[in-house]
Amino acid sequence: MAWKRVQVRTGPSAAFEKMSDEVIDYIKTNYDDTGKRTSFSVSSSDDGLVRTYTSIFKDEASKNKFLADSTIKTESTRRNTINASNGIVKEVTVDEEV
């Protein structure tokens, strides 16, 4: 069964740090192009202060592999540290089989 993970980031400004282009390319090659992550979308609130990131993975094992990937973890830590210092709060609102 597929697995859905939704993260919501909320901040005092629209200055959200994103992952590097290199890691985005790495994710595309290793997860999107291989079918481990089948869908990814980002939506923003009208004022730009809330962003919702939705990923659909082939299954829970693929999601777990993605979250445990050292390249992604290192870049996520870098990005999250910058976002947190800018007052941006991250919350996982959905993490379930669909």
Side-chain angles (χ1 to χ4, degrees):
M1 297 292 290
W3 199 270
K4 181 177 185 177
R5 183 171 170 90
V6 178
Q7 295 181 31
V8 177
R9 291 186 177 92
T10 306
S13 74
F16 292 85
E17 179 70 13
K18 68 177 193 81
M19 287 192 168
S20 70
D21 290 340
E22 293 80 16
V23 173
I24 290 170
D25 289 344
Y26 173 87
I27 291 170
K28 181 181 180 321
T29 299
N30 292 284
Y31 292 91
D32 298 345
D33 293 349
T34 62
K36 291 180 181 102
R37 186 171 75 170
T38 59
S39 174
F40 176 72
S41 64
V42 180
S43 62
S44 295
S45 62
D46 289 340
D47 61 8
L49 301 180
V50 178
R51 288 199 183 156
T52 303
Y53 301 78
T54 303
S55 292
I56 306 294
F57 295 91
K58 177 179 76 171
D59 52 26
E60 186 177 15
S62 296
K63 186 248 335 185
N64 291 341
K65 182 174 179 146
F66 181 93
L67 294 177
D69 187 301
S70 63
T71 299
I72 297 168
K73 282 176 70 170
T74 299
E75 181 62 5
S76 292
T77 298
R78 182 201 66 80
R79 179 206 55 211
N80 292 344
T81 299
I82 293 169
N83 281 337
S85 71
N86 290 328
I88 295 168
V89 177
K90 178 182 84 166
E91 178 184 9
V92 175
T93 59
V94 177
D95 193 19
E96 65 187 14
E97 191 173 65
V98 292

